Amino acid sequence: MRNLLILLLLSTSLYSQSEYPQDYFKNPLDITLVLSGTFAELRSSHFHGGLDIKTQGKQGLKVYSSAKGYVSRIKISHYGYGKAIYITHPNGYTTVYGHLQKFSKRLEDYIKMCQYQKESFEVEVFPGPEELLVDANEVIAFSGNTGGSGGPHLHFEIRDNQERPMNPMLFGIDIKDTKAPFVIGVYAYPKDNDALINGKNERIPLRLIPKKSGDYEVEKITAHGNIGFGVTTYDKQDLAPNKNGVSNIQTFFNGNKSLEIDFKRFSFSETKHIKRLIDYEYWKTKKSRIQKLFIESNNPLSLYKETYDNGYVKIEDSTSSVYKIRIRDYKQNETWVNIPISGKYKKPNSESEENIDGKSLVYNDKSTVLNSGNVKVNFYENTVYDDVWIDFSVNSDTLKLDEDKIPLQKNFYINYDISNYKSEHQDKLFIAKLYGYYKKPSYVYTTRKGNTLSAGSKVFGTYTLAMDTIAPTIKPVNFQNKKWLSKYRYLKVKIDDDLSGISKYRATVNGKWILMEYDYKTKSLVHDFNDNIVKDTKNDLKIIVTDNIGNSSTFEATFFRK
């Protein structure tokens, strides 16, 4: 029996070590790691897939391979991770390095060869296992601010063999953190029309009372029926002021576990369902993310574990109960919230029912089509999470589809009949979403079939037909026509479009394609003369820029180099 117990303990230990090897992956930077973003942190429309590591406010730090392996993917895009490297390792994991400024010379030469072959700045390649081998701690790139980055940093991921991102701190990547999570809001929710909290059948903010210990007490509430709770919380590490995500949330009702949310791993296919975890309406109207500590219908997230009754609790008359929330960061610093509940049925203060007069019903479990005037909107099955009544109206070419406070699982599709427009104007039309106080139009990817324009969107709001007849602008930055550029390493140009946005561009010198890197944040095109493509003394530059409607501008100039 004793030998069997030892064998079981050894097996458990080996399994734990093999699941998360602790000494395999090294820090990708040779500085103290300080985070601006943690794993699974709540973002606008997804969970954060890795660690955002600060690079001391600058670009150009050496980025090292976290372990030996081979470069299995290189992707360069205007948005997203910008310049990114993916390294597959012998143990089956893949590390990802994003927002890079540039690659090491070996990788830079490789990817530029691909870019010139494809005549495109944006490329995605998948080298074979023997093509680009890398050693542990080999310099593979330099940190940057490319793609959708809001400032210089390194985005670092570890993915399993199913391409699911996992918390790199599970593998021994260490971040100094001795601070417990903070709580800035707690809320109670009725599950159905029969549930009451403090006499109301609606979301109720609860009064938090901080304690000297760092935990929180909530002023006693009265409740009746099935209710759930939500919490607004964040964590801080020792070396940075950033408000980051937490690692684990557990709830207990009268001492029994009710729900656990473990932010350890997720799949990219489910990350869009963050809209089901947070109170989406509150986020869009108040800009604060309440994490719901209960599971509503059509919520496929794999973050939940050990749930009882989907996290809801039942409160009966004349009972006293205690609901507790335990919030932990990865270093096991923890904060507790204590909520005393008195079971009491109290007649609601007001009978409030949603006014559905003039609204349109969109079904969850079947398709819905809404028509008015020259507009048709298609909602396919499972576009919304629940059946929902929405404001739907069309005034001239302006479509009102409620407000962006209802979470959607996937795109709905807007279709405009443009047969009433003159033929010379039809090619210049596109579907736009109107944003902000001044209702500025923003291009939504639009296709045309006959006299119908179509666009998909995952966001409610106001849409319209817009017309773009103005071509993009192209302006030289560091040179003038017929000037010598022998002392310059870079050729720089600014491009912009004031309505539908830049779709594509092409640059040639003496009829030969040249690589110009596009940064949408600075609206710049940059060519590096070290590519050694420009070899002649006299050079004729031609740049063509096209917007999303097809309006094009052409810029031509001559420059000289020795």
Side-chain angles (χ1 to χ4, degrees), residues 286-422:
K286 305 293 186 181
K287 296 304 176 187
S288 179
R289 296 183 181 93
I290 303 172
Q291 299 182 59
K292 297 176 183 177
L293 305 179
F294 51 91
I295 306 173
E296 297 168 295
S297 61
N298 300 312
N299 182 342
L301 290 172
S302 63
L303 303 170
Y304 303 104
K305 53 191 296 187
E306 297 185 52
T307 65
Y308 178 77
D309 200 18
N310 288 325
Y312 290 101
V313 297
K314 186 174 183 179
I315 309 299
E316 297 179 342
D317 281 338
S318 303
T319 60
S320 294
S321 304
V322 176
Y323 183 91
K324 292 180 179 287
I325 307 171
R326 181 191 196 189
I327 305 165
R328 290 184 291 178
D329 60 26
Y330 181 76
K331 287 297 190 73
Q332 304 304 306
N333 302 303
E334 65 179 36
T335 298
W336 286 83
V337 180
N338 187 70
I339 307 174
I341 308 169
S342 176
K344 182 179 180 181
Y345 179 77
K346 182 180 179 182
K347 186 177 180 180
N349 295 335
S350 62
E351 297 291 338
S352 60
E353 292 186 5
E354 183 180 6
N355 183 5
I356 61 174
D357 291 344
K359 293 191 175 185
S360 300
L361 179 61
V362 178
Y363 294 96
N364 158 261
D365 58 354
K366 61 182 178 180
S367 296
T368 305
V369 179
L370 302 180
N371 286 281
S372 181
N374 63 331
V375 179
K376 179 174 72 172
V377 184
N378 293 89
F379 297 87
Y380 295 105
E381 183 180 354
N382 293 323
T383 298
V384 293
Y385 285 98
D386 304 294
D387 294 351
V388 61
W389 291 92
I390 68 168
D391 290 323
F392 168 75
S393 63
V394 177
N395 183 8
S396 186
D397 287 328
T398 300
L399 164 66
K400 175 69 181 299
L401 273 176
D402 217 284
E403 298 177 29
D404 180 18
K405 58 184 181 182
I406 301 170
L408 302 177
Q409 298 192 61
K410 58 185 181 182
N411 283 347
F412 56 85
Y413 294 90
I414 303 169
N415 304 279
Y416 274 89
D417 180 354
I418 59 171
S419 57
N420 288 333
Y421 280 83
K422 294 179 180 180

Side-chain angles (χ1 to χ4, degrees), residues 45-89:
S45 59
H46 64 280
F47 298 104
H48 187 230
L51 302 179
D52 280 348
I53 305 172
K54 290 176 177 281
T55 54
Q56 302 173 336
K58 57 188 177 183
Q59 303 185 51
L61 299 187
K62 292 179 179 179
V63 177
Y64 298 87
S65 171
S66 193
K68 69 177 182 179
Y70 73 95
V71 177
S72 54
R73 182 184 180 193
I74 302 176
K75 184 175 182 180
I76 297 179
S77 56
H78 298 147
Y79 308 102
Y81 292 169
K83 296 183 178 183
I85 293 175
Y86 300 69
I87 298 177
T88 297
H89 304 280

Side-chain angles (χ1 to χ4, degrees), residues 159-188:
R159 299 183 183 181
D160 65 14
N161 59 9
Q162 297 180 51
E163 282 294 300
R164 295 176 298 184
M166 306 181 69
N167 190 345
M169 296 177 72
L170 292 166
F171 299 84
I173 302 297
D174 191 41
I175 307 296
K176 188 175 182 181
D177 184 359
T178 60
K179 298 179 180 180
F182 297 82
V183 177
I184 58 176
V186 177
Y187 304 80

Side-chain angles (χ1 to χ4, degrees), residues 418-451:
I418 59 171
S419 57
N420 288 333
Y421 280 83
K422 294 179 180 180
S423 57
E424 61 266 30
H425 293 159
Q426 290 180 350
D427 289 339
K428 302 300 181 181
L429 292 171
F430 65 95
I431 298 174
K433 188 178 188 301
L434 300 180
Y435 283 96
Y437 179 80
Y438 294 103
K439 301 299 182 184
K440 183 178 179 180
S442 177
Y443 176 81
V444 181
Y445 178 72
T446 304
T447 60
R448 179 179 174 184
K449 186 175 182 180
N451 287 326

Side-chain angles (χ1 to χ4, degrees), residues 30-219:
D30 59 0
I31 58 174
T32 300
L33 298 191
V34 180
L35 301 185
S36 59
T38 51
F39 181 79
E41 189 171 275
L42 309 181
R43 298 292 171 89
S44 295
S45 59
H46 64 280
F47 298 104
H48 187 230
L51 302 179
D52 280 348
I53 305 172
K54 290 176 177 281
T55 54
Q56 302 173 336
K58 57 188 177 183
Q59 303 185 51
L61 299 187
K62 292 179 179 179
V63 177
Y64 298 87
S65 171
S66 193
K68 69 177 182 179
Y70 73 95
V71 177
S72 54
R73 182 184 180 193
I74 302 176
K75 184 175 182 180
I76 297 179
S77 56
H78 298 147
Y79 308 102
Y81 292 169
K83 296 183 178 183
I85 293 175
Y86 300 69
I87 298 177
T88 297
H89 304 280
N91 64 353
Y93 292 99
T94 296
T95 50
V96 182
Y97 314 76
H99 306 305
L100 303 170
Q101 180 190 57
K102 60 181 179 180
F103 307 123
S104 65
K105 186 179 186 309
R106 178 167 65 108
L107 301 185
E108 191 80 9
D109 290 345
Y110 178 91
I111 199 62
K112 283 200 172 183
M113 177 187 68
C114 298
Q115 289 173 311
Y116 275 96
Q117 286 177 349
K118 297 175 183 290
E119 294 191 354
S120 175
F121 168 61
E122 289 192 298
V123 293
E124 184 174 18
V125 296
F126 299 88
E130 302 297 326
E131 208 167 349
L132 293 174
L133 296 172
V134 294
D135 291 325
N137 296 317
E138 177 180 335
V139 176
I140 56 170
F142 298 87
S143 67
N145 187 31
T146 57
S149 170
H153 72 278
L154 174 68
H155 176 86
F156 177 69
E157 292 181 19
I158 298 179
R159 299 183 183 181
D160 65 14
N161 59 9
Q162 297 180 51
E163 282 294 300
R164 295 176 298 184
M166 306 181 69
N167 190 345
M169 296 177 72
L170 292 166
F171 299 84
I173 302 297
D174 191 41
I175 307 296
K176 188 175 182 181
D177 184 359
T178 60
K179 298 179 180 180
F182 297 82
V183 177
I184 58 176
V186 177
Y187 304 80
Y189 291 77
K191 181 181 180 181
D192 47 46
N193 293 331
D194 297 326
L196 296 173
I197 304 134
N198 290 345
K200 296 182 180 180
N201 182 246
E202 61 188 41
R203 178 187 61 222
I204 299 292
L206 308 181
R207 190 167 81 86
L208 270 177
I209 305 170
K211 301 170 70 174
K212 290 183 179 180
S213 64
D215 295 327
Y216 299 84
E217 188 86 14
V218 167
E219 189 175 57

